[in-house]
Amino acid sequence: MAAEKAAKTEKDGRRVGRPPLTERRKAATRLEIAREAVRLFAAQGVAATTADEIAAAAGISPRTLWRYCSSKEECVGPLLTTALDAAAERLTSWPRERTLTDGISEHPPGRSAAALAEDEQALRDLVRLVRTEPGLRAVWLQVHHAAEPVLTRALAARTGRSPDALEPRVQAALLNTALRVAVEEWAWNTAPGTGTPGEAITEVLAIAEAGLPR
């Protein structure tokens, strides 16, 4: 009952507020699978890692694993989509008087510093693997492809435009590419004292905001 009350419904029928408990449990399981898959991939390579090993590390059966993922490479998807989903959600609700750059680059609320650090390291390991693992690169690009219409709807809602209009579609494509480049730059930078993903996103968005050279 509490989960049902927590999940309010807007006029258009979309669910808002906290998702039901079962959905939160599924999301947590997907994220745990992703973390363990990345850990194993980073330690021993994708080819040498089996789905059974990922399932065992995540504390589930192989049969359960295949209910969540259609390939071992796709297991990492939730680690990538979590940040993009959070960015799209903040785009919709971010105050008009504050810049979108602030909204996108801020840490998601409700996460401890330790949890953020753990997932940042897993994300860095994963994006570094994207360079050499074609299967993971395909997942990385597919996640961004799927995120673009979500970002388009978020930008359209913020500006009162139709999601089918050209302007929010181009803006979403620009933002999507900037986010991808920012995370890649952050992950691939091995210099000591490398900053956070949020700092990299802020830097790249500043470049994007300047527009194309005249």
Side-chain angles (χ1 to χ4, degrees):
M1 292 296 292
E4 292 176 357
K5 291 179 181 178
K8 300 176 183 177
T9 304
E10 293 180 332
K11 291 181 180 179
D12 62 1
R14 289 183 299 159
R15 190 181 294 277
V16 296
R18 295 187 71 190
L21 181 59
T22 53
E23 291 302 318
R24 298 203 301 274
R25 284 174 175 166
K26 288 178 181 178
T29 299
R30 290 188 182 97
L31 194 53
E32 183 62 20
I33 291 171
R35 292 184 183 122
E36 293 300 334
V38 171
R39 183 181 63 80
L40 290 168
F41 291 160
Q44 58 195 37
V46 175
T49 300
T50 67
D52 286 359
E53 288 175 315
I54 297 172
I60 59 176
S61 69
R63 183 175 180 179
T64 300
L65 178 74
W66 293 127
R67 287 205 295 265
Y68 286 98
C69 318
S70 60
S71 71
K72 62 182 181 182
E73 289 86 358
E74 286 188 5
C75 289
V76 305
L79 195 59
L80 303 173
T81 58
T82 297
L84 285 168
D85 289 346
E89 183 176 347
R90 289 198 296 275
L91 280 176
T92 305
S93 59
W94 198 246
R96 296 295 179 90
E97 64 273 13
R98 298 190 63 185
T99 67
L100 289 180
T101 300
D102 291 339
I104 294 170
S105 58
E106 281 195 357
H107 283 313
R111 300 289 308 283
S112 68
L116 285 170
E118 180 183 359
D119 280 350
E120 281 183 5
Q121 185 56 54
L123 179 62
R124 171 170 269 156
D125 290 341
L126 174 55
V127 177
R128 285 177 175 174
L129 285 168
V130 163
R131 273 182 159 176
T132 56
E133 297 285 355
L136 296 182
R137 189 182 312 126
V139 174
W140 175 235
L141 296 176
Q142 176 57 37
V143 163
H144 276 277
H145 178 75
E148 199 155 298
V150 178
L151 294 173
T152 299
R153 290 192 294 271
L155 288 170
R158 183 178 176 84
T159 59
R161 302 291 299 274
S162 166
D164 296 326
L166 184 60
E167 184 177 14
R169 287 163 51 209
V170 173
Q171 290 170 338
L174 175 63
L175 176 58
N176 196 15
T177 300
L179 291 173
R180 179 180 59 79
V181 171
V183 173
E184 290 174 351
E185 174 68 15
W186 164 76
W188 297 343
N189 188 350
T190 58
T194 301
T196 66
E199 290 169 344
I201 289 170
T202 298
E203 181 181 2
V204 170
L205 287 180
I207 296 171
E209 285 176 351
L212 297 174
R214 296 182 184 274

